[in-house]
Amino acid sequence: VLMGVSMLAYVVLDGYDLGVGMLMHRATPADQDMMVASIGPFWDANETWLVLGVGVLLIAFPKAHGMVLGALYLPVALMLVGLVLRGVAFDFRVKAQDEWKPLWNRAFFAGSTLAAVAQGWMLGRYITGLQDGWGPTLFAAAIAALLPAAYVLLGAGWLVLKTEGELQQHAVRWAKIAWPPVVLGIGLVSLATPVVSATVRARWFSMPEFIALLPIPIVTLAALVAARAVLNSRLVLDRLAWMPFICTMAVFVFGAVGLAYSLFPYVVIDRLTVWQAAS
């Protein structure tokens, strides 16, 4: 539970940081300064949840740690490169002369995008049980392309909440663009998980487990629809500015709950249970 909560906290909290970073290239220099200022007090602390989650995986489930990170060595390395590049760019853009500032802004965008794509690839490979072949590879590539859209939606929701004026209006438009790929990505994950695993398929489509699981997709769908409805309303620029961010966060939370429900007691789907992996 601690490991799962840590990874979920990382995805939600650093997710909006990554989303803001991936939106940098769409903004004016003045808006870029405002975007960075909106995440400035939080971004460094948000990344520490990843350290806690991976640390618990190493200490509590060393066999799973070896299996997962062994299979995902390259995307993990690329993610770390992206996070380092992002951290360097974040600090240097503040101190750089005006002629160099666009370079560090591009580096911040590149680091955020690289980290998000690597995380999407890892999620796709993990859901398919680290299996090899064209099917799992294509699925991982699809999630690598779609997870950044979820981070962009989260980041745009953060900007709607934290900014005003022209930048807030831009953030609403960016959120609307990111919304369809997010729905597509959630749909792909939902379809692929029972196809990959007979265990998950049996748990999803047997009674009474089906009834227990049903509220999760219903609430997730409701949160997505509510986010879109608010984005289409003028109230999103005023009283309901908080709602797109909260709704998107709810999508992540219930998606994680559904994934945990589907996987337990496996740490690696159909290959390694928590008791087999425990130190």
Side-chain angles (χ1 to χ4, degrees):
V1 170
L2 177 61
M3 182 178 69
V5 169
S6 300
M7 299 306 291
L8 174 61
Y10 169 77
V11 167
V12 171
L13 296 176
D14 203 42
Y16 74 75
D17 291 348
L18 293 170
V20 171
M22 286 185 281
L23 290 169
M24 288 283 285
H25 70 293
R26 294 178 174 266
T28 64
D31 286 345
Q32 288 174 341
D33 291 340
M34 184 63 68
M35 292 163 70
V36 171
S38 75
I39 63 174
F42 313 108
W43 75 276
D44 208 11
N46 291 344
E47 290 186 348
T48 59
W49 290 99
L50 179 64
V51 180
L52 177 60
V54 176
V56 172
L57 178 64
L58 171 63
I59 294 166
F61 307 109
K63 290 182 181 178
H65 181 275
M67 182 181 293
V68 172
L69 294 191
L72 302 178
Y73 185 86
L74 182 58
V76 168
L78 290 174
M79 178 187 71
L80 294 177
V81 168
L83 294 177
V84 170
L85 179 61
R86 191 164 154 263
V88 170
F90 190 96
D91 286 331
F92 274 46
R93 71 176 301 281
V94 178
K95 302 174 177 64
Q97 298 175 354
D98 290 342
E99 59 184 296
W100 293 106
K101 202 169 184 179
L103 172 65
W104 292 115
N105 286 335
R106 287 193 290 271
F108 190 65
F109 164 77
S112 300
T113 304
L114 179 60
V117 169
Q119 290 174 19
W121 179 272
M122 288 188 284
L123 176 63
R125 294 278 289 123
Y126 182 73
I127 289 174
T128 55
L130 307 176
Q131 298 176 12
D132 296 320
W134 282 105
T137 302
L138 288 174
F139 177 77
I143 301 303
L146 294 170
L147 182 65
Y151 285 158
V152 167
L153 181 59
L154 197 60
W158 174 260
L159 292 175
V160 171
L161 173 64
K162 286 291 184 177
T163 63
E164 57 186 16
E166 189 176 347
L167 178 55
Q168 189 184 40
Q169 295 172 12
H170 289 325
V172 171
R173 189 176 73 252
W174 296 334
K176 289 180 180 179
I177 295 172
W179 189 85
V182 172
V183 176
L184 178 61
I186 292 173
L188 283 176
V189 170
S190 301
L191 289 173
T193 308
V195 170
V196 167
S197 170
T199 304
V200 172
R201 188 163 59 248
R203 182 170 297 178
W204 279 21
F205 301 111
S206 60
M207 299 295 285
E209 288 85 352
F210 178 79
I211 297 175
L213 183 65
L214 196 58
I216 296 174
I218 291 175
V219 174
T220 303
L221 181 61
L224 285 168
V225 172
R228 183 69 192 202
V230 172
L231 289 170
N232 291 332
S233 168
R234 291 185 178 182
L235 291 176
V236 74
L237 301 176
D238 188 17
R239 287 181 298 171
L240 298 181
W242 55 272
M243 197 165 175
F245 181 72
I246 296 299
C247 288
T248 308
M249 189 167 65
V251 170
F252 276 95
V253 170
F254 280 95
V257 170
L259 188 62
Y261 177 93
S262 303
L263 292 180
F264 188 81
Y266 291 101
V267 182
V268 180
I269 195 166
D270 287 340
R271 296 177 65 179
L272 202 62
T273 67
V274 291
W275 296 284
Q276 292 170 335
S279 61

